[in-house]
Amino acid sequence: MFKQLNFFFILILPLVFKYIFLFFFIDLELFDLEDILEDIFFFFAIILLFQSKIFKKQFFADALYVIYIFYFILETTSYIAVLSNFSSSYMYLLIESNNAELNEFMSTYINIPILLFIALMSFLFIIIRKKRFVIKKIKKPIIEVLSFFAIVIFLKFTGLIESNAYHNIVRGTYGYFQLQKSVNLKTEISKKNIQINANNEVLVVVLGESTARGHMQLYGYKRETTPLLNAIKDSLFIYNNVISTDVFTLKVIPKMLTSLDNTNTNKEVINIIEVFNKAGYNTFWLSNQRPISFHDNAISKIASASNKFKFFNHIIDKHTVVLDEIILPDYKNILDQEGKKVIFIRLIGTHFDYKKRYPKAYNKFVSELEDTTDKDKTINHYDNAVLYNDFIVYSILQDLKKTNTKSALLYLSDHGENVYDDGDFFGRTESNLKKNMFDIPFFIWTSNEFEFPDDFEYMPNRKFMTDHLYESLGHLFGVMHKDMNANHSIFSKFFKKRKRIVVNDINYDEHFLTKDE
């Protein structure tokens, strides 16, 4: 009995030391109860495996010890390095990264606490292997197997398995290779099929997230949520009637950045990034969202065509506390580099959880009443997030202005958000569509030297849907692939109006707009 308890005590030490290190070296608010529960269930699953007859043999026992110890190394060092558990996003980056990028990552994030923890785990591996205690075997081995799989099934159906490093290794690897097949992008683009009509130098495309124009002061909202952009609105081309095709990011962005639209969903599509690559531009993708998850795989494949891409966030959207300002230093460095360039910046924007999207300094909209409802608090959090988003977009624009180049910036959101604007709920759903879910901000800024297309026309109330952003970007910047139709560009005086069919074959203009609109 003593040997069994001794074995149990030693085996639980890696779990205990994980939380000791996290207590001293990170903010405990970064992980929640689900992480702790998953670790406990993982520990008991390992205990059950040790009772299997196969692990009587030294080789298999050692293999299990390594798997067990390495799990805690992955989980703990990941939290210490980047404030997140080891997610499937990391596998995407590990597979995509070259040696130079991996060396850069190692030199940036390896620190003394990480080295100490690795050394401690290595020492515990030696101790566990040396002691070689054996737990009393259960008389019916089938009970061990069934119990182990019961734990795995429980973790899967409760969602707790999403915190498991090994689950994310498998899912990330599988997701990466599935990603290569999931989007039918045409990779062979001939330069002879691209017509360059201007000599512009820098294009910045800022992709917002879940930001409804109805909550922006720039579009007439009652609160001062965009004071910085408002101050320079006379230098912006602001479009008032742009909508998204869908209410989910995965469905929207591929239609924005490729030749895919609502009418050609089955054909091989062309990536706008590849078009700019062939036209001689250096392309960059900076993202404060995960590179691979349930939702973003196709988008990551589009992004991977960039000459250089970097993901700053690896945490599930609603849990992340990584603010968009993290992108700004890298963005400034790219602007300082010589050569023509196109920079795509993907923000976390005003994505739920809204209160995690801004620092305390932007907690402007608050209610001091004790009986403030949860509804009012949610609206306040969202508007604060919009306020911070105003600072981010304004900062990106100001840095671009300093380059004194032939440059342009386009800002738009992937989709909107219903924040108690129509109905007693917030968020988005295809089963209860609301106007604010589609209504997005859309504006451009250009330098004085920028070369506009000959047929440029500014029509602020033009009815436009973002599945023709692909043509609009090429047209605006003077880089046109042969399959692009300038009549689809929001910036062309030859723009052809069409029915705006959104989710569930709904005609947006007939369903959501009044006759006066």
Side-chain angles (χ1 to χ4, degrees):
M1 182 66 180
F2 173 75
K3 288 186 176 182
Q4 295 175 33
L5 290 175
N6 198 359
F7 175 83
F8 184 89
F9 173 75
I10 293 177
L11 203 60
I12 204 173
L13 284 179
L15 174 62
V16 173
F17 279 114
K18 170 185 175 178
Y19 287 97
I20 290 176
F21 268 70
L22 295 185
F23 177 80
F24 283 104
F25 296 112
I26 74 165
D27 185 348
L28 294 182
E29 291 183 359
L30 290 175
F31 61 92
D32 48 32
L33 180 62
E34 284 80 3
D35 294 324
I36 300 173
L37 290 175
E38 186 276 323
D39 281 341
I40 292 173
F41 280 107
F42 175 78
F43 171 75
F44 282 107
I46 293 295
I47 290 290
L48 289 169
L49 287 180
F50 271 115
Q51 298 191 62
S52 174
K53 292 180 179 180
I54 191 173
F55 293 106
K56 283 184 175 181
K57 296 183 178 180
Q58 185 70 47
F59 174 81
F60 294 111
D62 288 347
L64 187 58
Y65 293 147
V66 170
I67 290 172
Y68 179 65
I69 292 295
F70 188 61
Y71 168 84
F72 289 106
I73 290 177
L74 280 178
E75 294 257 315
T76 309
T77 58
S78 177
Y79 267 117
I80 295 174
V82 293
L83 306 180
S84 166
N85 66 329
F86 190 91
S87 68
S88 54
S89 297
Y90 291 131
M91 287 309 301
Y92 178 94
L93 295 179
L94 287 173
I95 296 172
E96 278 282 346
S97 299
N98 56 39
N99 289 334
E101 291 168 334
L102 289 175
N103 289 334
E104 180 184 358
F105 178 87
M106 296 285 284
S107 62
T108 302
Y109 292 108
I110 294 298
N111 53 35
I112 292 178
I114 286 177
L115 294 175
L116 284 175
F117 189 80
I118 293 174
L120 177 60
M121 290 299 105
S122 300
F123 175 73
L124 286 178
F125 170 77
I126 296 173
I127 295 297
I128 293 173
R129 187 179 185 277
K130 183 178 180 181
K131 290 296 183 181
R132 204 62 178 85
F133 295 121
V134 179
I135 294 180
K136 184 178 180 181
K137 300 294 183 293
I138 297 175
K139 294 181 179 180
K140 295 183 178 180
I142 189 64
I143 296 177
E144 307 159 6
V145 177
L146 292 177
S147 299
F148 172 79
F149 282 106
I151 290 177
V152 173
I153 293 171
F154 174 79
L155 291 174
K156 176 65 177 176
F157 282 94
T158 59
L160 294 175
I161 203 168
E162 299 303 320
S163 300
N164 186 276
Y166 289 129
H167 166 77
N168 287 325
I169 287 175
V170 173
R171 195 183 80 180
T173 304
Y174 175 78
Y176 174 82
F177 290 105
Q178 283 296 107
L179 169 60
Q180 309 311 311
K181 303 175 183 178
S182 62
V183 182
N184 190 23
L185 292 177
K186 186 175 183 178
T187 56
E188 296 298 325
I189 300 177
S190 175
K191 188 174 181 179
K192 67 181 181 180
N193 292 328
I194 299 175
Q195 182 178 353
I196 300 176
N197 303 319
N199 189 33
N200 291 311
E201 298 169 274
V202 184
L203 172 64
V204 178
V205 181
V206 183
L207 301 172
E209 169 67 58
S210 304
T211 304
R213 67 169 178 259
H215 280 256
M216 297 178 69
Q217 176 190 4
L218 193 66
Y219 285 92
Y221 187 51
K222 60 185 178 182
R223 284 176 159 177
E224 294 182 351
T225 54
T226 57
L228 297 175
L229 292 174
N230 251 52
I232 60 169
K233 65 180 180 181
D234 291 340
S235 66
L236 305 176
F237 296 89
I238 303 171
Y239 292 83
N240 304 315
N241 202 351
V242 176
I243 65 168
S244 61
T245 57
D246 301 88
V247 297
F248 293 122
T249 303
L250 176 61
K251 294 183 177 181
V252 173
I253 290 187
K255 294 177 186 177
M256 286 183 175
L257 301 182
T258 74
S259 57
L260 181 70
D261 64 20
N262 278 356
T263 64
N264 64 355
T265 54
N266 293 319
K267 78 170 189 176
E268 188 176 44
V269 297
I270 297 175
N271 184 352
I272 188 66
I273 298 176
E274 290 283 12
V275 175
F276 284 123
N277 287 340
K278 288 295 183 181
Y281 287 86
N282 290 321
T283 53
F284 302 85
W285 183 280
L286 303 176
S287 176
N288 194 22
Q289 297 203 32
R290 291 193 296 169
I292 191 166
S293 67
F294 289 121
H295 307 295
D296 295 344
N297 296 4
I299 300 168
S300 295
K301 187 168 185 179
I302 294 170
S304 65
S306 304
N307 298 136
K308 186 171 183 180
F309 54 90
K310 185 172 182 178
F311 297 89
F312 296 83
N313 184 20
H314 309 279
I315 310 175
I316 296 173
D317 298 332
K318 68 178 181 178
H319 293 318
T320 181
V321 292
V322 181
L323 299 173
D324 280 328
E325 61 196 62
I326 194 173
I327 288 175
L328 297 180
D330 282 75
Y331 167 66
K332 292 177 184 178
N333 290 335
I334 292 171
L335 288 178
D336 291 338
Q337 297 176 20
E338 295 184 357
K340 296 181 177 181
K341 56 186 73 75
V342 179
I343 308 169
F344 292 87
I345 299 177
R346 190 173 177 215
L347 305 176
I348 194 68
T350 57
H351 194 291
F352 185 78
D353 189 346
Y354 311 136
K355 64 178 178 289
K356 295 180 180 178
R357 299 296 163 254
Y358 56 91
K360 291 181 180 179
Y362 286 82
N363 190 33
K364 175 181 179 180
F365 304 108
V366 296
S367 178
E368 297 179 356
L369 300 177
E370 294 183 0
D371 59 347
T372 301
T373 65
D374 289 341
K375 173 181 175 179
D376 291 332
K377 290 178 181 178
T378 299
I379 295 172
N380 288 339
H381 291 318
Y382 186 78
D383 288 347
N384 287 331
V386 175
L387 178 66
Y388 178 68
N389 188 68
D390 173 64
F391 160 72
I392 294 296
V393 177
Y394 178 83
S395 299
I396 293 171
L397 176 53
Q398 292 303 110
D399 287 333
L400 178 59
K401 285 183 178 181
K402 295 175 184 176
T403 63
N404 295 317
T405 56
K406 296 179 181 179
S407 56
L409 177 143
L410 167 66
Y411 170 75
L412 75 163
S413 184
D414 54 355
H415 49 72
E417 193 95 340
N418 186 71
V419 189
Y420 297 104
D421 304 287
D422 183 6
D424 194 26
F425 73 98
F426 67 91
R428 289 159 285 113
T429 172
E430 292 185 347
S431 62
N432 189 13
L433 296 171
K434 301 297 181 182
K435 183 175 181 293
N436 260 35
M437 297 177 188
F438 297 97
D439 292 352
I440 60 171
F442 187 109
F443 62 78
I444 62 170
W445 170 90
T446 63
S447 64
N448 294 330
E449 302 81 11
F450 185 78
E451 296 182 18
F452 287 93
D454 293 337
D455 61 340
F456 178 83
E457 179 183 54
Y458 174 47
M459 297 289 287
N461 295 318
R462 177 166 281 163
K463 294 181 177 180
F464 182 75
M465 191 163 64
T466 57
D467 57 337
H468 283 168
L469 180 69
Y470 165 78
E471 292 92 345
S472 299
L473 285 174
H475 175 247
L476 175 67
F477 213 59
V479 179
M480 295 290 288
H481 188 272
K482 70 173 185 176
D483 80 326
M484 290 180 176
N485 186 344
N487 294 339
H488 292 166
S489 171
I490 189 174
F491 308 114
S492 174
K493 66 181 179 181
F494 301 113
F495 175 80
K496 288 187 177 180
K497 184 180 177 181
R498 59 173 173 148
K499 291 182 179 180
R500 296 190 289 181
I501 307 300
V502 294
V503 181
N504 301 331
D505 292 325
I506 291 175
N507 185 317
Y508 171 90
D509 298 295
E510 293 180 357
H511 187 81
F512 292 111
L513 301 185
T514 65
K515 292 182 180 180
D516 293 335
E517 294 177 289

